[in-house]
Amino acid sequence: MKKIALGLVAGVVLSAGVFAFAAANQWVAVSPNFKVLVRGDVFESDPPPVVIEGRTYLPLRAMAEALDVDIYWDGDAREVLVDMGVSDSGNKEEPKKVKYEDISIKSDTIEAKPGDTIKIPVKFSNVPSEGINSGFLKILFDNDKLEVLDVVGGEIMNAPEKDFQFNKMNDKGAITLLYVEAEQQRKGMITKDGTFITIEAKVKENASEGSVKLSIDSGNFEDYDFNPIGLSPSLGEVIIKK
């Protein structure tokens, strides 16, 4: 079969849903105000397409599915392979397709007063032993009551300073998170349960009493061979009491 090799950064990061693996740990990606058509049909994906500095980027796996082609990860060559379905005698062995149980994503319920600074650990359980190689999450919160100050990679990441990026959008009540194991040698992947991130936030001084529910708007995670890993989120609340 004929395969097109893509560079590691473009392949892995687009698969995770965002184009932004750079030295800076913050970036700006906006939703397009136009439709993307593939073979005459509106292209839809989770996460959706994004526009960065006037360019449109699509999640690679969703695009491959829309075009009815397969994608593979060649760890030795450090390449993403897009199978165009044409015979080729120089084939490499195709990675085994695996179906995983969903990762459970939870956070505890926390009580706080207006003006308090709080830390919200977001924990993963049921992480597959094969490991998480890349992933993307978008978490929503009530920006009338909370202001996100920082997001820190948790202890289940081997090198969060290299593998983890985030963007806080307090004006939209959202955090976007990108995880890509930078070395791409299997050894540094997430393979255990525990804290994925810790969100540091401030309860606004004028916040009214009540609860702030955190929710996951979109996300996807994949193993080393780009097999998808499902998510089962159940995030807690911040209960505000004066």
Side-chain angles (χ1 to χ4, degrees):
M1 63 185 65
K2 183 68 174 178
K3 296 181 180 178
I4 298 175
L6 303 181
L8 172 63
V9 173
V12 175
V13 177
L14 280 176
S15 174
V18 202
F19 181 81
F21 198 77
N25 68 350
Q26 296 194 33
W27 29 263
V28 176
V30 298
S31 299
N33 58 3
F34 50 84
K35 296 179 181 179
V36 177
L37 301 179
V38 178
R39 292 176 173 169
D41 296 326
V42 176
F43 176 81
E44 295 180 346
S45 64
D46 182 13
V50 294
V51 177
I52 300 173
E53 296 184 352
R55 298 185 180 222
T56 305
Y57 298 93
L58 310 177
L60 182 57
R61 175 172 292 281
M63 189 64 181
E65 291 175 353
L67 295 172
D68 196 24
V69 298
D70 293 323
I71 61 172
Y72 308 101
W73 167 242
D74 184 338
D76 294 331
R78 300 183 70 182
E79 295 175 340
V80 178
L81 305 174
V82 181
D83 177 9
M84 303 304 292
V86 181
S87 178
D88 182 354
S89 58
N91 288 348
K92 297 180 180 179
E93 183 179 352
E94 296 178 0
K96 180 181 178 182
K97 293 187 177 181
V98 182
K99 186 174 182 180
Y100 297 106
E101 294 182 5
D102 290 353
I103 296 173
S104 175
I105 305 178
K106 294 184 178 181
S107 65
D108 296 332
T109 294
I110 297 173
E111 291 189 3
K113 302 189 299 293
D116 285 353
T117 297
I118 57 176
K119 293 185 177 182
I120 308 169
V122 177
K123 300 177 181 179
F124 281 10
S125 60
N126 203 34
V127 172
S129 59
E130 290 82 355
I132 300 171
N133 186 65
S134 62
F136 167 79
L137 277 180
K138 183 177 182 180
I139 298 177
L140 304 180
F141 60 93
D142 185 348
N143 60 348
D144 289 332
K145 296 184 178 182
L146 288 184
E147 176 188 2
V148 171
L149 305 176
D150 197 10
V151 182
V152 179
E155 81 274 359
I156 63 174
M157 297 185 195
N158 288 282
E161 68 282 356
K162 295 189 297 182
D163 300 342
F164 173 66
Q165 313 284 322
F166 75 94
N167 186 25
K168 56 182 181 180
M169 298 176 285
N170 282 304
D171 58 329
K172 298 181 179 179
I175 314 165
T176 49
L177 313 166
L178 174 66
Y179 170 81
V180 180
E181 198 282 298
E183 296 298 325
Q184 293 299 305
Q185 296 295 326
R186 292 187 184 268
K187 297 179 181 179
M189 296 189 297
I190 295 174
T191 57
K192 60 185 179 181
D193 297 351
T195 300
F196 176 62
I197 58 166
T198 297
I199 301 169
E200 183 179 352
K202 181 177 180 179
V203 181
K204 292 188 174 182
E205 297 285 355
N206 61 351
S208 59
E209 288 190 328
S211 62
V212 178
K213 177 68 177 177
L214 302 179
S215 63
I216 293 179
D217 176 73
S218 57
N220 70 293
F221 285 84
E222 295 173 336
D223 70 7
Y224 191 77
D225 294 318
F226 289 94
N227 293 301
I229 305 170
L231 309 177
S232 179
S234 179
L235 298 185
E237 301 175 324
V238 177
I239 299 177
I240 301 172
K241 294 183 177 180
K242 295 186 177 180

